[in-house]
Amino acid sequence: MGSNYACQVEEKGRPWPEQPALFLKAPNALAAPGQTVLRPAEVQRLEYEGELAVVIGRTARRVTERDAMAHVYGLTCANDVTAHDWRSDGQWTRAKSADTFLPLDPWIETGDDDGPADRPRAVRTRLGDRVVQESDTGKMIFSVPEILAWVTRWITLQPGDVVLTGSPAGVGPMAPGDLVTVEIEGLGALSNPEPAGPTGSGVSSSAGAGASACPRALR
């Protein structure tokens, strides 16, 4: 999902979405917690995007918003790493699906002991020890049930498929040596480093930036 928090839509100056914006990330992009995110040599700006990830548990085809959560196994943390350079030139598949561009936490919260799986949860991204993104999932423009109902109109989701739900305002660059941590209330924290060392000119950290607060979305 792209553009799913009002604060990010406003931050980027994008039009208000009338329907969920979809893109795909390939399986080769998966990375484990603590695994180094690999920066392609051609990429000058590599960005973090902390997101709630929804793990599918039952085959989902044309589900309704009412029964969508019955097809969800659980929730976890994800970092939708993006090569900004390649997104800007229209190469979204390459920008989103390079190797290690999807750090994903193996801990999946099923909601059995933590209330409903789709309840609002605080989302926070840290760059080192600084908070650079801060919001909660109750402020998404399209809720998890709305997203799943939309996607499964045309795309059948299978057990093990993962749906990312969009990133709040505050998306920014990762510099060599940065440690990115995505924290979601009740789900834990996912941390991945970018390797230290030269990666080409023009790479800079977002040091000094504060967290971007996300106001509640009004529809």
Side-chain angles (χ1 to χ4, degrees):
M1 280 290 303
S3 300
N4 197 32
Y5 284 81
C7 54
Q8 194 201 45
V9 170
E10 294 167 359
E11 179 186 53
K12 301 294 185 182
R14 296 170 180 164
W16 190 264
E18 297 182 0
Q19 59 191 25
L22 308 179
F23 58 86
L24 293 176
K25 290 181 82 82
N28 63 281
L30 285 169
Q35 183 175 348
T36 297
V37 174
L38 304 178
R39 176 194 293 261
E42 305 88 348
V43 173
Q44 297 298 306
R45 183 181 172 102
L46 194 64
E47 296 184 333
Y48 57 80
E49 295 188 30
E51 304 195 15
L52 173 72
V54 179
V55 183
I56 301 301
R58 292 171 50 197
T59 299
R61 170 66 174 164
R62 292 190 174 275
V63 302
T64 65
E65 292 180 27
R66 182 175 180 177
D67 68 1
M69 296 307 297
H71 296 77
V72 172
Y73 178 73
L75 308 174
T76 192
C77 306
N79 184 0
D80 177 19
V81 176
T82 304
H84 178 78
D85 314 39
W86 292 338
R87 180 174 55 189
S88 297
D89 69 9
Q91 297 290 340
W92 275 70
T93 299
R94 184 176 59 164
K96 294 286 188 178
S97 294
D99 292 347
T100 73
F101 273 23
L102 181 53
L104 196 66
D105 198 339
W107 178 267
I108 302 173
E109 174 56 56
T110 62
D112 294 340
D113 302 315
D114 194 32
D118 59 341
R119 69 172 178 82
R121 298 171 183 270
V123 178
R124 182 177 296 109
T125 303
R126 297 181 184 274
L127 195 62
D129 60 358
R130 295 183 298 103
V131 176
V132 290
Q133 289 184 291
E134 189 160 28
S135 185
D136 73 72
T137 60
K139 298 172 183 175
M140 294 192 301
I141 297 171
F142 300 101
S143 67
V144 172
E146 287 176 306
I147 292 169
L148 297 182
W150 176 259
V151 172
T152 62
R153 288 175 64 183
W154 309 280
I155 301 171
T156 299
L157 297 176
Q158 303 290 353
D161 284 346
V162 179
V163 180
L164 305 187
T165 56
S167 192
V171 170
M174 302 161 53
D178 278 343
L179 180 69
V180 178
T181 301
V182 179
E183 303 173 356
I184 300 181
E185 179 186 355
L187 307 183
L190 167 70
S191 294
N192 293 83
E194 189 191 350
T199 58
S201 61
V203 177
S204 62
S205 175
S206 54
S212 294
C214 190
R216 178 165 298 279
L218 299 177
R219 297 184 60 197

